[in-house]
Amino acid sequence: KLGTHEELAYYSISVAIANSLWMVAASIGVVVFSNASNTISKYNPSNVQKLALISGIISVVAALAILLIGKYLIVLFFGLPYAKSYRLLIALLPGIMFGGYFRIIGAYLNGIGLQLELLVVVLIICIATTLLDLIFIPKFGAIAASIISSLSYMIIGIITILMFAKKQNCNVWEFFIPSKSLIREILTKISWKH
């Protein structure tokens, strides 16, 4: 048996909230750089890197907010019995932050013809995730599912960053630490809108 119905309910809530976090971060990143995508080819590696970095920063901020108020939101929207979903959500957060990189960079890598390489990576990670779930969920329950999913998202995010860095010959840290020029560009865009 792979867990109880109760654990499945807790896990479903944590996944729904985590996926919302993922979508919000990606959407905000797209909006911030919509002008760039309208004027420059969407396959411009510089734009992809900027978008991935901004999405990553937004994900970190959103994850910190979830850490602070996530339990209260779960209780508010789902009721006190579902407060146990919070620990599952916390376990998913690292993976969700890295998973956003896969969404953005993966689209770029697909666009430049690396579909097969990405497919192989995704299939290997899916098979490994399934096997680990089958081994650990019966013994540890929903927390195992959350941790395994988080690790899978993190690994696929890191692999896509490494694939991009190798293809574009860039520094991996540029996906995590904004340059001064990017900070100036963002501030200029924000001030220009006002």
Short mmCIF file of all heavy atoms in Angstrom, two decimals, residues 16-40:
data_model
loop_
_atom_site.label_atom_id
_atom_site.label_comp_id
_atom_site.label_asym_id
_atom_site.label_seq_id
_atom_site.Cartn_x
_atom_site.Cartn_y
_atom_site.Cartn_z
N ALA A 16 -0.79 21.21 -4.85
CA ALA A 16 -1.57 22.28 -5.49
C ALA A 16 -0.99 23.66 -5.15
O ALA A 16 -0.83 24.51 -6.03
CB ALA A 16 -3.03 22.20 -5.05
N ILE A 17 -0.64 23.87 -3.90
CA ILE A 17 -0.06 25.16 -3.49
C ILE A 17 1.32 25.34 -4.11
O ILE A 17 1.65 26.41 -4.63
CB ILE A 17 0.00 25.27 -1.96
CG1 ILE A 17 -1.42 25.31 -1.40
CG2 ILE A 17 0.78 26.52 -1.54
CD1 ILE A 17 -1.50 25.14 0.10
N ALA A 18 2.13 24.29 -4.09
CA ALA A 18 3.48 24.36 -4.67
C ALA A 18 3.41 24.66 -6.16
O ALA A 18 4.18 25.48 -6.67
CB ALA A 18 4.22 23.06 -4.41
N ASN A 19 2.50 24.02 -6.87
CA ASN A 19 2.36 24.28 -8.31
C ASN A 19 1.91 25.71 -8.58
O ASN A 19 2.32 26.32 -9.56
CB ASN A 19 1.41 23.28 -8.95
CG ASN A 19 2.07 21.93 -9.17
OD1 ASN A 19 3.29 21.83 -9.26
ND2 ASN A 19 1.27 20.89 -9.23
N SER A 20 1.07 26.25 -7.71
CA SER A 20 0.66 27.65 -7.85
C SER A 20 1.86 28.57 -7.70
O SER A 20 2.02 29.53 -8.46
CB SER A 20 -0.40 28.01 -6.80
OG SER A 20 -1.53 27.21 -6.98
N LEU A 21 2.70 28.25 -6.74
CA LEU A 21 3.93 29.03 -6.54
C LEU A 21 4.79 28.98 -7.79
O LEU A 21 5.33 30.00 -8.23
CB LEU A 21 4.69 28.46 -5.34
CG LEU A 21 6.07 29.02 -5.03
CD1 LEU A 21 5.95 30.45 -4.57
CD2 LEU A 21 6.74 28.17 -3.97
N TRP A 22 4.91 27.82 -8.37
CA TRP A 22 5.69 27.62 -9.58
C TRP A 22 5.14 28.47 -10.72
O TRP A 22 5.88 29.14 -11.43
CB TRP A 22 5.61 26.15 -9.94
CG TRP A 22 6.68 25.59 -10.81
CD1 TRP A 22 7.68 26.25 -11.45
CD2 TRP A 22 6.87 24.22 -11.12
NE1 TRP A 22 8.46 25.37 -12.15
CE2 TRP A 22 7.98 24.12 -11.96
CE3 TRP A 22 6.19 23.06 -10.77
CZ2 TRP A 22 8.43 22.91 -12.46
CZ3 TRP A 22 6.64 21.87 -11.27
CH2 TRP A 22 7.76 21.80 -12.10
N MET A 23 3.84 28.46 -10.89
CA MET A 23 3.20 29.20 -11.97
C MET A 23 3.33 30.72 -11.77
O MET A 23 3.57 31.45 -12.72
CB MET A 23 1.73 28.82 -12.08
CG MET A 23 1.51 27.36 -12.45
SD MET A 23 2.24 26.93 -14.03
CE MET A 23 1.02 27.61 -15.11
N VAL A 24 3.18 31.17 -10.55
CA VAL A 24 3.28 32.60 -10.27
C VAL A 24 4.68 33.10 -10.60
O VAL A 24 4.84 34.12 -11.28
CB VAL A 24 2.92 32.91 -8.80
CG1 VAL A 24 3.30 34.32 -8.41
CG2 VAL A 24 1.44 32.68 -8.57
N ALA A 25 5.70 32.38 -10.15
CA ALA A 25 7.08 32.81 -10.41
C ALA A 25 7.37 32.86 -11.90
O ALA A 25 7.93 33.83 -12.41
CB ALA A 25 8.05 31.87 -9.71
N ALA A 26 6.96 31.84 -12.64
CA ALA A 26 7.21 31.81 -14.08
C ALA A 26 6.44 32.92 -14.79
O ALA A 26 6.96 33.59 -15.67
CB ALA A 26 6.83 30.45 -14.65
N SER A 27 5.20 33.15 -14.39
CA SER A 27 4.37 34.19 -15.02
C SER A 27 4.94 35.58 -14.79
O SER A 27 4.99 36.40 -15.71
CB SER A 27 2.94 34.12 -14.48
OG SER A 27 2.37 32.89 -14.77
N ILE A 28 5.35 35.86 -13.57
CA ILE A 28 5.91 37.18 -13.27
C ILE A 28 7.19 37.39 -14.07
O ILE A 28 7.42 38.46 -14.62
CB ILE A 28 6.15 37.36 -11.76
CG1 ILE A 28 4.80 37.40 -11.04
CG2 ILE A 28 6.94 38.62 -11.47
CD1 ILE A 28 4.88 37.39 -9.54
N GLY A 29 8.02 36.38 -14.15
CA GLY A 29 9.24 36.49 -14.94
C GLY A 29 8.95 36.80 -16.39
O GLY A 29 9.63 37.62 -17.02
N VAL A 30 7.94 36.16 -16.95
CA VAL A 30 7.57 36.41 -18.35
C VAL A 30 7.10 37.85 -18.52
O VAL A 30 7.48 38.53 -19.48
CB VAL A 30 6.49 35.41 -18.81
CG1 VAL A 30 5.91 35.81 -20.14
CG2 VAL A 30 7.07 34.01 -18.89
N VAL A 31 6.30 38.35 -17.61
CA VAL A 31 5.80 39.72 -17.70
C VAL A 31 6.94 40.73 -17.62
O VAL A 31 6.99 41.67 -18.40
CB VAL A 31 4.74 40.00 -16.59
CG1 VAL A 31 4.40 41.47 -16.51
CG2 VAL A 31 3.50 39.17 -16.85
N VAL A 32 7.88 40.49 -16.71
CA VAL A 32 9.00 41.43 -16.53
C VAL A 32 9.78 41.60 -17.83
O VAL A 32 10.19 42.69 -18.19
CB VAL A 32 9.91 40.96 -15.38
CG1 VAL A 32 11.21 41.75 -15.37
CG2 VAL A 32 9.20 41.10 -14.06
N PHE A 33 9.98 40.51 -18.57
CA PHE A 33 10.78 40.59 -19.77
C PHE A 33 9.97 40.47 -21.05
O PHE A 33 10.50 40.10 -22.09
CB PHE A 33 11.90 39.54 -19.73
CG PHE A 33 13.08 40.07 -18.98
CD1 PHE A 33 13.21 39.80 -17.65
CD2 PHE A 33 14.02 40.88 -19.59
CE1 PHE A 33 14.27 40.30 -16.92
CE2 PHE A 33 15.07 41.39 -18.89
CZ PHE A 33 15.21 41.11 -17.54
N SER A 34 8.70 40.85 -21.01
CA SER A 34 7.87 40.76 -22.21
C SER A 34 8.37 41.68 -23.31
O SER A 34 8.32 41.34 -24.48
CB SER A 34 6.41 41.05 -21.89
OG SER A 34 6.27 42.37 -21.41
N ASN A 35 8.87 42.85 -22.95
CA ASN A 35 9.39 43.77 -23.96
C ASN A 35 10.59 43.17 -24.69
O ASN A 35 10.71 43.29 -25.90
CB ASN A 35 9.82 45.11 -23.33
CG ASN A 35 8.63 45.93 -22.91
OD1 ASN A 35 7.52 45.71 -23.38
ND2 ASN A 35 8.85 46.87 -22.01
N ALA A 36 11.43 42.49 -23.95
CA ALA A 36 12.61 41.88 -24.57
C ALA A 36 12.20 40.80 -25.56
O ALA A 36 12.75 40.71 -26.65
CB ALA A 36 13.53 41.30 -23.50
N SER A 37 11.21 40.01 -25.21
CA SER A 37 10.80 38.93 -26.11
C SER A 37 10.09 39.48 -27.34
O SER A 37 10.05 38.82 -28.37
CB SER A 37 9.91 37.93 -25.38
OG SER A 37 8.69 38.52 -25.02
N ASN A 38 9.54 40.68 -27.25
CA ASN A 38 8.89 41.28 -28.42
C ASN A 38 9.90 41.90 -29.38
O ASN A 38 9.62 42.02 -30.57
CB ASN A 38 7.89 42.35 -27.98
CG ASN A 38 6.67 41.76 -27.33
OD1 ASN A 38 6.29 40.63 -27.62
ND2 ASN A 38 6.06 42.51 -26.43
N THR A 39 11.05 42.28 -28.87
CA THR A 39 12.02 42.98 -29.72
C THR A 39 13.19 42.11 -30.15
O THR A 39 13.84 42.41 -31.13
CB THR A 39 12.57 44.22 -28.98
OG1 THR A 39 13.17 43.78 -27.75
CG2 THR A 39 11.49 45.22 -28.70
N ILE A 40 13.46 41.05 -29.40
CA ILE A 40 14.61 40.19 -29.70
C ILE A 40 14.10 38.76 -29.81
O ILE A 40 13.12 38.39 -29.19
CB ILE A 40 15.65 40.28 -28.56
CG1 ILE A 40 16.10 41.72 -28.36
CG2 ILE A 40 16.86 39.40 -28.86
CD1 ILE A 40 16.96 41.93 -27.15
#
